Amino acid sequence: VLTRRFFVAPAFEIYGGVRGLYDYGPPGCAVKNNLIQTWRQHFVVEEGMLEIEGTCLTPEPVLRASGHVEKFSDILVRDAVTDESFRADHIVEDHLKKVEADPSVTAEDKTEAAELAARLDELSISDMDAAIQRWGVKAPVTGNDLTPSKPFNLMFGTSMGPNSATPGFLRPETAQGIFVNFKRLLESVGGKMPFACAQIGLSFRNEISPRSGLLRVREFSQAEIEHFVHPERKDHPKFDSVRNAKVRLLPKAQQTATGRTIEMEIGAA
């Protein structure tokens, strides 16, 4: 229905289309614009946030400093016969769901499968290969063996200038435009924290296997907020209302150690 009434449709469809790219028609544009305006009113206007609009093109040094060049990747596997590419955690997740639903599987194996499914995004390449081997995961449709896992960087690379002298990327998220302007933003609020800044704009990710309609695509609009808080002065007027709330976070120590999130109170973060 959405396609027939041109709320949204696959981009370049008359040329065969490209997975993960969609065009918004007139009613789709209206819905999207209303959603963005409601989001901006709820967060930016009512909370008195700052807002910027940064560029989509980002020089390579910026994203290398942020860790995106080395770490902004998914784990990729291929069909050993057809060479079709798959995102490893997706096909392992789908396989584990079948395991959990299989009445012939033991309760112990179902529990193990459920526990693994809950932490798929934490697995290293070697752990992913071990999981594929342990559960006998095969390529969807063909049932062929899979190649060993390898990292696949999700950023679209490009170059700037007539001699391609400046390497860069299409931004994978809008946050970097906020971070690199932190000094100017701090000056604009008189050097006082806390403050928050929002940005709404296009982001780009070279997804291995786009799926779920508009939920996982290669070009999308993103609305993002960054809050800046002095580590020793958590005096936001609304902070006490969330001080004792527990959330799962990934502290610096965990990022360089286990890579696993931990539960902690916001007040202790």
Side-chain angles (χ1 to χ4, degrees):
V1 174
L2 291 176
T3 301
R4 187 172 68 251
R5 297 185 179 180
F6 199 18
F7 277 80
V8 63
F12 314 111
E13 192 171 26
I14 62 173
Y15 286 94
V18 179
R19 291 178 64 194
L21 296 179
Y22 289 89
D23 292 332
Y24 288 86
C29 280
V31 171
K32 179 181 175 183
N33 290 337
N34 285 339
L35 178 61
I36 290 174
Q37 187 55 39
T38 300
W39 188 93
R40 179 180 279 117
Q41 180 66 34
H42 179 77
F43 289 107
V44 181
V45 177
E46 293 188 12
E47 294 293 330
M49 296 179 181
L50 306 175
E51 183 177 358
I52 68 166
E53 182 176 334
T55 65
C56 293
L57 285 170
T58 308
E60 188 266 356
V62 175
L63 292 167
R64 181 169 295 281
S66 67
H68 285 76
V69 172
E70 294 183 356
K71 298 181 179 180
F72 194 73
S73 60
D74 282 335
I75 300 177
L76 175 145
V77 292
R78 298 182 189 275
D79 185 310
V81 177
T82 67
D83 206 38
E84 184 177 359
S85 298
F86 305 99
R87 184 168 153 176
D89 60 335
H90 282 175
I91 61 173
V92 173
E93 180 182 23
D94 291 343
H95 183 82
L96 294 175
K97 288 179 179 177
K98 294 177 182 177
V99 170
E100 292 181 63
D102 188 343
S104 66
V105 175
T106 65
E108 291 78 7
D109 281 349
K110 288 185 177 183
T111 299
E112 182 183 350
E115 291 176 349
L116 176 61
R119 58 183 185 87
L120 280 175
D121 58 348
E122 301 174 1
L123 298 188
S124 65
I125 289 178
S126 59
D127 290 338
M128 188 64 74
D129 281 336
I132 291 172
Q133 183 69 27
R134 159 70 177 89
W135 296 99
V137 181
K138 302 292 183 181
V141 182
T142 67
N144 294 326
D145 289 338
L146 297 167
T147 61
S149 303
K150 66 177 183 179
F152 177 80
N153 194 285
L154 298 176
M155 294 192 296
F156 286 100
T158 186
S159 58
M160 291 170 268
N163 298 319
S164 301
T166 304
F169 298 91
L170 294 175
R171 65 183 181 191
E173 60 186 25
T174 56
Q176 301 311 314
I178 299 175
F179 293 143
V180 298
N181 283 297
F182 172 75
K183 184 175 183 292
R184 290 188 174 90
L185 292 169
L186 185 61
E187 290 172 350
S188 72
V189 294
K192 298 179 180 180
M193 288 194 284
F195 70 89
C197 182
Q199 182 169 192
I200 302 171
L202 289 175
S203 293
F204 307 83
R205 297 183 184 180
N206 194 13
E207 294 285 350
I208 296 170
S209 52
R211 64 180 191 177
S212 301
L214 298 176
L215 296 181
R216 188 171 292 280
V217 293
R218 290 180 168 131
E219 177 182 328
F220 55 96
S221 294
Q222 185 175 31
E224 190 165 6
I225 299 169
E226 300 296 335
H227 291 267
F228 297 95
V229 182
H230 194 288
E232 298 175 358
R233 296 198 300 272
K234 300 173 183 178
D235 53 1
H236 189 282
K238 295 184 178 180
F239 185 71
D240 285 339
S241 66
V242 297
R243 179 185 297 275
N244 298 322
K246 292 183 178 180
V247 294
R248 297 201 66 83
L249 299 173
L250 185 61
K252 181 178 180 181
Q254 299 300 111
Q255 294 176 29
T256 56
T258 64
R260 296 183 179 180
T261 58
I262 63 173
E263 186 178 84
M264 61 192 307
E265 292 183 354
I266 291 178

